[in-house]
Amino acid sequence: MKLLPGPLRRRNGATKEGAKVDGRQRQDELVREREKEAEKKRRKDALLEIPIQTIGWLDERTGGGPFLRGFLYRKVPRGTNWFYTLGSATMFAFVSQAVTGVFLAMYYRPSATEAYPSVQHITNDVFLGEFVRGMHKWGATVMVVLIFAHMGRVFFFGAYKYPRELNWIIGVVLVVLTLMMALTGYLLPFDQRSFWATVVAVNLNSSGPIIGPYLADFLRGGAEFGATTISRFYAIHMLLIPGLIAALIGAHLYLVAKLGTTAPPWLKAEKRRELAQEEI
């Protein structure tokens, strides 16, 4: 092997040493990048564990896991169609009414002299006030239509029969409460149309047997329409009826999850193989 001259040997040695140093630097950079990626992954996994730990904490203290699993993974009968969504649509309409009602209550003043000006202020001056009021106004009509459609579906499908009689009774009470909420809310703008329409409706209630006159006096806050009538309608519309509806919806959903839903009436029940073999 032929030896290189002195300067070339020194230059070749320096090149090899520089290559070794560069290789070590690259290895160190790769190690640091891998450590950074591993740290990011650990942080991401820790963040993802927070909601899981929160759900576990709530489940351990409330015991709601079995109920939610039974509610979300319950068996659905064959032939289920879009008619079965009318109940969920009605509940969504109620939630929409509750949310928009809260925003309207922030600006509404239940007074005989200030009710109508406050409604005009909401419609003309408040940001998105006309939109929210329109949602609340037309949402009331939508909710009434949906709850009657849902009630008709339950009746024609025979879902009111054993063992669901109690759920049917709760549904009928919910229909009555929905109509009462529509009646009490109709007066709140306190213009000429809402005032005289409510007078007619309360007079119709007063013509009922036995409890009719007492119910009319309770709604009016006296023998005639006065300054306390609008405050009473507002309290019933905002506090009493929504609370009752929310409680009854909870009971209604519990019974639906517990008892299940009925199959459409045009589907025949299939017999189990054991029963069919015994008949044969």
Side-chain angles (χ1 to χ4, degrees), residues 24-81:
R24 289 173 186 173
Q25 290 178 351
R26 292 195 193 95
Q27 289 179 356
D28 293 340
E29 290 176 358
L30 290 174
V31 170
R32 285 194 294 269
E33 289 178 0
R34 289 173 182 174
E35 289 178 352
K36 289 180 180 179
E37 292 178 357
E39 183 65 24
K40 289 181 181 179
K41 187 177 181 181
R42 283 194 294 269
R43 291 179 181 177
K44 185 178 180 181
D45 294 339
L47 291 174
L48 292 175
E49 285 292 328
I50 292 175
I52 298 174
Q53 293 175 356
T54 304
I55 294 172
W57 185 86
L58 291 172
D59 184 25
E60 185 178 357
R61 284 153 181 81
T62 60
F67 172 76
L68 287 176
R69 282 192 295 271
F71 182 76
L72 296 175
Y73 296 100
R74 67 186 187 276
K75 293 182 179 179
V76 177
R78 187 169 61 90
T80 301
N81 49 43

Side-chain angles (χ1 to χ4, degrees), residues 192-207:
Q192 290 292 323
R193 181 174 59 181
S194 63
F195 177 82
W196 292 111
T198 307
V199 169
V200 173
V202 174
N203 289 337
L204 288 174
N205 288 327
S206 65
S207 63

Side-chain angles (χ1 to χ4, degrees), residues 18-216:
K20 290 181 180 178
V21 172
D22 293 340
R24 289 173 186 173
Q25 290 178 351
R26 292 195 193 95
Q27 289 179 356
D28 293 340
E29 290 176 358
L30 290 174
V31 170
R32 285 194 294 269
E33 289 178 0
R34 289 173 182 174
E35 289 178 352
K36 289 180 180 179
E37 292 178 357
E39 183 65 24
K40 289 181 181 179
K41 187 177 181 181
R42 283 194 294 269
R43 291 179 181 177
K44 185 178 180 181
D45 294 339
L47 291 174
L48 292 175
E49 285 292 328
I50 292 175
I52 298 174
Q53 293 175 356
T54 304
I55 294 172
W57 185 86
L58 291 172
D59 184 25
E60 185 178 357
R61 284 153 181 81
T62 60
F67 172 76
L68 287 176
R69 282 192 295 271
F71 182 76
L72 296 175
Y73 296 100
R74 67 186 187 276
K75 293 182 179 179
V76 177
R78 187 169 61 90
T80 301
N81 49 43
W82 286 100
F83 290 110
Y84 288 80
T85 62
L86 290 171
S88 301
T90 307
M91 186 178 67
F92 176 79
F94 171 72
V95 173
S96 175
Q97 290 298 99
V99 173
T100 54
V102 168
F103 284 108
L104 292 175
M106 295 178 181
Y107 299 95
Y108 180 76
R109 293 186 293 273
S111 169
T113 58
E114 298 180 351
Y116 184 74
S118 66
V119 171
Q120 293 300 308
H121 172 66
I122 292 171
T123 305
N124 300 324
D125 302 329
V126 177
F127 176 69
L128 293 179
E130 186 177 6
F131 174 73
V132 175
R133 187 184 170 220
M135 284 186 62
H136 195 76
K137 176 183 177 181
W138 295 109
T141 304
V142 170
M143 184 176 175
V144 172
V145 172
L146 285 175
I147 198 168
F148 273 103
H150 177 55
M151 189 177 184
R153 199 280 302 172
V154 171
F155 178 78
F156 288 112
F157 281 30
Y160 60 90
K161 300 177 182 178
Y162 175 85
R164 300 176 179 85
E165 300 93 336
L166 179 60
N167 219 12
W168 170 259
I169 294 172
I170 292 175
V172 172
V173 175
L174 283 171
V175 171
V176 175
L177 290 175
T178 302
L179 294 176
M180 289 179 62
M181 188 164 64
L183 173 63
T184 54
Y186 195 77
L187 176 68
L188 297 184
F190 215 66
D191 53 6
Q192 290 292 323
R193 181 174 59 181
S194 63
F195 177 82
W196 292 111
T198 307
V199 169
V200 173
V202 174
N203 289 337
L204 288 174
N205 288 327
S206 65
S207 63
I210 303 174
I211 64 171
Y214 300 101
L215 178 60

Side-chain angles (χ1 to χ4, degrees), residues 3-21:
L3 294 177
L4 294 172
L8 292 178
R9 282 203 308 270
R10 286 194 295 272
R11 190 181 305 168
N12 191 16
T15 304
K16 289 181 179 179
E17 290 178 0
K20 290 181 180 178
V21 172

Side-chain angles (χ1 to χ4, degrees), residues 211-253:
I211 64 171
Y214 300 101
L215 178 60
D217 289 343
F218 171 75
L219 292 174
R220 287 191 298 254
E224 299 292 338
F225 275 82
T228 59
T229 304
I230 189 169
S231 299
R232 181 156 299 191
F233 270 59
Y234 180 73
I236 294 172
H237 182 77
M238 280 293 297
L239 300 174
L240 180 61
I241 296 179
L244 292 174
I245 289 179
L248 289 176
I249 286 176
H252 195 70
L253 292 177

